Amino acid sequence: MDMALEWLPPSCFRQVLSLSGTLRASLDSPPSWRRRCVALWSGKAHISAQSRTLLQQDDAKAAMRASLEDSRQSGISQEELCNGEWHCRMKRSAGKEWTRNDPWWCSAPARRVRFSPNGELLRPDGDLWKPAEMDGKVMRWRFAWWVPEWSAERHQPAVRRVDPGTRVKIHDFPSALVWRHPLNWGFVLDSPWSLMTSFAMPPRGAVNSTDRQERELARSLRDSRLRHTVQDAPLEVDVYRSGLTVPDVAPAPEHFFARELGGGEVRFFIRVPDDEQEDNAESLHPDGTAETGGESEEELQDGDDGGDGSSDEDEDAEEGEEECEEESEEETASEVSD
């Protein structure tokens, strides 16, 4: 009876405990809580250090509660970000120029990277990890404290502040939204053009895997199932396309604005703090104001997302065809064996 009760989901514990004193004594014992906690954590990609410490202190009930609360948190700490390897791939929206050279899209394991505490993004080089470079510059990461977005009240860019640890910015690319995967509690860095996971990313063909867990995880990471797209960050994407570097410190409203030039063209102006001007000198006027051309809000919402003309629906259709082909092959094999 005790072993059978431990298969109950956590949401049922309170109701069961209220029904019987015998059941309460069985389920509420330290050994029972430990077994349930270990079973719950099985296959999870991330368990917080606090939860592990509580279990080591023989407080399995508190450890289980702490881990469930932590699994619902969306932010990530520097220690958690820099603690292990990350697996990354480009999204279809990045376009064929990026996906054709991406190992994951070529049915190979996803690329691996690490985040260094000193702010560098690292890539494997044999047995070593070395700083990743782009255009001759070392790629760096940082937490974003704000993101640009269009103001709802007026046709002007605005500052939206974000909670600490909920956005990670790599190089000058649009920031990645941090969220926890509901199936394995791992971290996901979801940007408009790329995806990173703190756990091994299922291969591209795993959407048709015979392993149920792998299949469910792979399908949950399809582009169409993700949470942060080009359409979710139109201004941030357009600012990047314009070649404008977004400063780490949020500008005041009078230092971040746009002017319509006609013909659907918009010019952005942003004042960069003095300590960042040297790095962005090529995009600054003598008065410290950056200037660049861009698209209008309507063009951002309705225009090209930088992709190759195919959509997530196309991807799902292709995968559906693959599933049908597999089923057909299985039926054929069955007929032959009969």
Side-chain angles (χ1 to χ4, degrees):
M1 173 66 74
D2 185 56
M3 296 296 292
L5 290 173
E6 288 168 11
W7 285 97
L8 288 172
S11 58
C12 297
F13 290 166
R14 181 174 297 180
Q15 182 177 0
V16 172
L17 290 174
S18 66
L19 297 177
S20 166
T22 303
L23 291 177
R24 183 184 301 110
S26 176
L27 284 174
D28 207 23
S29 65
S32 180
W33 278 109
R34 173 174 284 274
R35 285 193 292 268
R36 286 201 300 278
C37 185
V38 171
L40 177 66
W41 290 1
S42 176
K44 296 298 188 288
H46 177 79
I47 304 297
S48 68
Q50 177 194 11
S51 302
R52 294 184 183 278
T53 299
L54 288 170
L55 186 62
Q56 292 173 356
Q57 295 172 347
D58 292 327
D59 194 347
K61 183 176 181 179
M64 190 171 177
R65 181 184 296 113
S67 68
L68 287 168
E69 292 176 354
D70 176 73
S71 71
R72 292 187 284 268
Q73 301 299 316
S74 57
I76 189 171
S77 67
Q78 177 173 310
E79 181 181 1
E80 291 167 333
L81 186 68
C82 301
N83 191 41
E85 295 183 7
W86 289 76
H87 306 260
C88 58
R89 70 168 177 86
M90 303 306 295
K91 293 183 179 179
R92 186 182 293 269
S93 59
K96 286 185 177 180
E97 183 177 350
W98 289 89
T99 58
R100 70 162 57 99
N101 297 317
D102 186 288
W104 185 88
W105 284 94
C106 298
S107 301
R111 283 195 176 98
R112 295 178 298 135
V113 299
R114 294 183 72 102
F115 293 87
S116 172
N118 68 5
E120 293 178 339
L121 186 71
L122 307 178
R123 286 179 177 166
D125 184 2
D127 296 332
L128 303 176
W129 288 86
K130 295 185 177 181
E133 294 187 0
M134 175 170 283
D135 299 328
K137 294 183 178 180
V138 173
M139 297 182 68
R140 304 188 65 83
W141 72 270
R142 58 198 180 278
F143 287 113
W145 302 97
W146 71 282
V147 294
E149 67 176 13
W150 285 109
S151 170
E153 294 78 18
R154 55 198 182 100
H155 197 73
Q156 285 293 325
V159 169
R160 179 165 70 86
R161 299 187 183 277
V162 295
D163 293 332
T166 59
R167 294 288 185 120
V168 175
K169 194 169 180 65
I170 299 174
H171 203 53
D172 293 326
F173 295 113
S175 62
L177 176 69
V178 181
W179 49 276
R180 298 289 290 277
H181 200 287
L183 294 180
N184 63 13
W185 298 359
F187 289 99
V188 178
L189 301 185
D190 188 356
S191 83
W193 293 317
S194 67
L195 176 70
M196 289 188 177
T197 59
S198 65
F199 48 90
M201 189 178 294
R204 187 183 181 191
V207 290
N208 297 316
S209 173
T210 56
D211 182 281
R212 182 180 61 83
Q213 290 185 338
E214 182 182 49
R215 183 174 65 250
E216 289 180 354
L217 182 60
R219 292 182 177 183
S220 70
L221 293 174
R222 285 175 171 172
D223 285 5
S224 58
R225 304 282 182 86
L226 300 177
R227 307 181 184 182
H228 194 50
T229 67
V230 171
Q231 289 73 28
D232 294 321
L235 182 55
E236 194 173 9
V237 166
D238 194 55
V239 166
Y240 170 80
R241 287 173 173 165
S242 301
L244 182 65
T245 299
V246 176
D248 293 340
V249 179
E254 62 270 21
H255 295 157
F256 187 29
F257 56 93
R259 291 287 182 267
E260 294 188 12
L261 304 180
E265 184 180 0
V266 174
R267 178 163 293 171
F268 298 105
F269 297 84
I270 185 168
R271 184 179 296 277
V272 180
D274 293 339
D275 58 352
E276 296 186 32
Q277 285 190 20
E278 184 176 350
D279 293 335
N280 301 301
E282 69 279 359
S283 62
L284 295 174
H285 291 293
D287 64 355
T289 301
E291 178 180 337
T292 182
E295 296 170 303
S296 67
E297 182 179 7
E298 289 76 12
E299 289 175 320
L300 280 169
Q301 293 175 340
D302 301 330
D304 181 21
D305 63 358
D308 56 12
S310 54
S311 65
D312 292 326
E313 293 180 358
D314 297 331
E315 180 182 349
D316 292 341
E318 292 172 3
E319 291 165 351
E321 291 173 0
E322 292 174 359
E323 292 176 5
C324 292
E325 290 174 0
E326 281 198 354
E327 292 174 359
S328 177
E329 290 174 359
E330 291 175 358
E331 291 173 0
T332 302
S334 176
E335 291 172 1
V336 171
S337 62
D338 291 341

